[in-house]
Amino acid sequence: MHCPQCHQVIPDGSRFCNLCGAVLGTPPQPGHLAPAAGQLPAEVVHAVMHPSFIFVGVRYALAAVLSIVIVVLGAMIAGKAWDWLSNVIPWVVGFVVVVLFLNPIYNHILRQIETYTLTSEKVEIQTGLLIKRTQNIPLQKIQDVSTQITLLNRMLGIGDVVIDSASSSGKIILRHVTNPQAVASEILARVRK
């Protein structure tokens, strides 16, 4: 095999020329067959999305502010309380702070386990923590893509993308995605190809 730029002899399967550094392409990996003539190209992932973090972030901020208020109130009460009560207050305050952060953590986990993937062939929705549920909508089955954006969502730059499918699943909603109109336009552009 020869380098197309400097014509140096290089070992078969090389990705770069040892002399000039030219990129030669990716050799086929062992165990992988090159696509035969007439076969369709491999599926390409165009976008991977999650619901927006904004609502989870607001929950974290609210839990942090309430925690600070609870700690200050606990310190004020402990300073004026009897000795036995002032020993219990730090435990109560600690418990309340942990409880305040349970909701944001739970919603953060829910956000992370919901994944929307747009590929060259389909829209894929994955949900579930212990049991993964995957729903695939082939692009050729998509009839319409629309957005639902409330006033608050418009101010935050998020919204829902509604995919109307000809399959048995009917309408599928991608919840709270960032820049929903761009996502809907991208899906429609892939459908028309």
Side-chain angles (χ1 to χ4, degrees):
M1 179 172 176
H2 294 282
C3 173
Q5 286 188 354
C6 67
H7 305 291
Q8 167 78 16
V9 176
I10 52 176
D12 288 334
S14 295
R15 293 178 51 196
F16 302 98
C17 176
N18 295 337
L19 183 64
C20 69
V23 178
L24 303 174
T26 307
Q29 300 297 320
H32 291 82
L33 299 174
Q39 279 188 336
L40 296 174
E43 186 173 17
V44 177
V45 175
H46 296 291
V48 177
M49 300 165 280
H50 294 281
S52 176
F53 183 78
I54 190 89
F55 295 119
V56 175
V58 167
R59 284 183 166 96
Y60 275 120
L62 186 60
V65 169
L66 289 175
S67 295
I68 292 169
V69 169
I70 296 292
V71 168
V72 169
L73 287 175
M76 288 171 48
I77 293 170
K80 297 182 181 188
W82 300 290
D83 286 339
W84 67 271
L85 186 58
S86 64
N87 292 335
V88 174
I89 288 178
W91 291 100
V92 172
V93 168
F95 176 76
V96 170
V97 167
V98 168
V99 168
L100 285 173
F101 277 94
L102 288 179
N103 182 274
I105 291 170
Y106 173 73
N107 282 284
H108 196 161
I109 292 170
L110 287 181
R111 175 194 176 269
Q112 286 302 112
I113 61 175
E114 192 166 343
T115 306
Y116 312 128
T117 307
L118 173 62
T119 71
S120 57
E121 303 293 322
K122 66 185 181 237
V123 175
E124 181 179 276
I125 302 169
Q126 273 191 344
T127 56
L129 182 61
L130 299 177
I131 299 172
K132 283 276 191 199
R133 180 176 173 252
T134 303
Q135 186 175 10
N136 293 309
I137 306 145
L139 291 180
Q140 62 265 25
K141 297 279 187 183
I142 294 175
Q143 294 177 330
D144 187 33
V145 180
S146 60
T147 58
Q148 293 178 347
I149 307 169
T150 64
L151 178 62
L152 175 64
N153 287 352
R154 195 173 325 141
M155 292 176 1
L156 298 173
I158 62 173
D160 297 341
V161 176
V162 181
I163 302 171
D164 192 14
S165 171
S167 64
S168 61
S169 54
K171 290 188 179 194
I172 290 93
I173 298 175
L174 309 181
R175 300 176 319 106
H176 303 303
V177 294
T178 305
N179 202 354
Q181 293 184 336
V183 172
S185 298
E186 180 68 23
I187 293 171
L188 281 173
R190 298 286 164 205
V191 167
R192 292 184 183 129
K193 284 189 177 182

